Amino acid sequence: MQLDETDHALIAALSDNARTPVADLARKLGLARTTVQARLDRLERRGAIAGYTLRRGEALKPMLRATVLIAVAPHESPTVLTRLRAIPEVETVHTTSGRFDLLVTLTADSTAALDATLDRIGEAKGVRSSESLIHLSTKIDRSG
């Protein structure tokens, strides 16, 4: 899908605050409210906008974040993924190329909770090895 300059401006405005009323978006972009609503409907229909979400403020963000790189035994990926789905601290799981098979992002409210979560991951049937990277600070975040 090709986006024009107005679409990009609309998406940028929504990225700042997805709760901005359509009338305010229209005023900000210098467009009619019906035009903005039609563009939003088109962007949603074509998959450019998948939904509107809540971003946690500092008061609700977990204290710790970590990335776990996991090497999985042959043919054990479904078993490991089932285990990871059952761990609430696991936020995302990506498959990767290279010496690790999975890249897992997790959160915890304390080092003890992080340690327990890492133990649960390491004990999972099919996990051959893992390496943990604890996030210290965020320098760039373009995730919105």
Side-chain angles (χ1 to χ4, degrees):
M1 170 180 193
Q2 194 152 350
L3 302 178
D4 64 17
E5 191 176 308
T6 302
D7 290 331
H8 284 291
L10 180 55
I11 290 169
L14 287 170
S15 294
D16 289 339
N17 182 359
R19 294 182 63 189
T20 304
V22 174
D24 292 353
L25 292 168
R27 206 172 304 111
K28 182 176 183 174
L29 300 173
L31 299 170
R33 193 196 66 72
T34 54
T35 301
V36 170
Q37 186 62 60
R39 280 182 177 263
L40 286 171
D41 292 343
R42 180 178 50 86
L43 290 167
E44 289 171 6
R45 199 172 45 253
R46 293 190 177 166
I49 295 176
Y52 303 86
T53 188
L54 172 86
R55 287 188 317 223
R56 294 180 194 164
E58 289 302 317
L60 291 179
K61 286 186 180 176
M63 182 180 290
L64 298 169
R65 294 180 59 81
T67 297
V68 183
L69 304 168
I70 301 174
V72 179
H75 311 293
E76 292 289 343
S77 286
T79 304
V80 173
L81 287 170
T82 298
R83 174 66 170 219
L84 293 173
R85 277 188 196 95
I87 299 173
E89 293 83 4
V90 171
E91 286 192 336
T92 62
V93 178
H94 303 277
T95 57
T96 63
S97 61
R99 69 185 176 123
F100 292 101
D101 302 296
L102 300 174
L103 184 147
V104 179
T105 305
L106 57 92
T107 60
D109 290 323
S110 68
T111 55
L114 177 61
D115 191 37
T117 301
L118 294 172
D119 285 345
R120 288 177 67 194
I121 291 171
E123 294 166 352
K125 180 179 182 288
V127 171
R128 204 170 36 185
S129 67
S130 67
E131 184 174 325
S132 306
L133 307 163
I134 298 172
H135 301 201
L136 298 177
S137 66
T138 300
K139 302 298 184 186
I140 299 171
D141 182 358
R142 293 188 177 123
S143 63

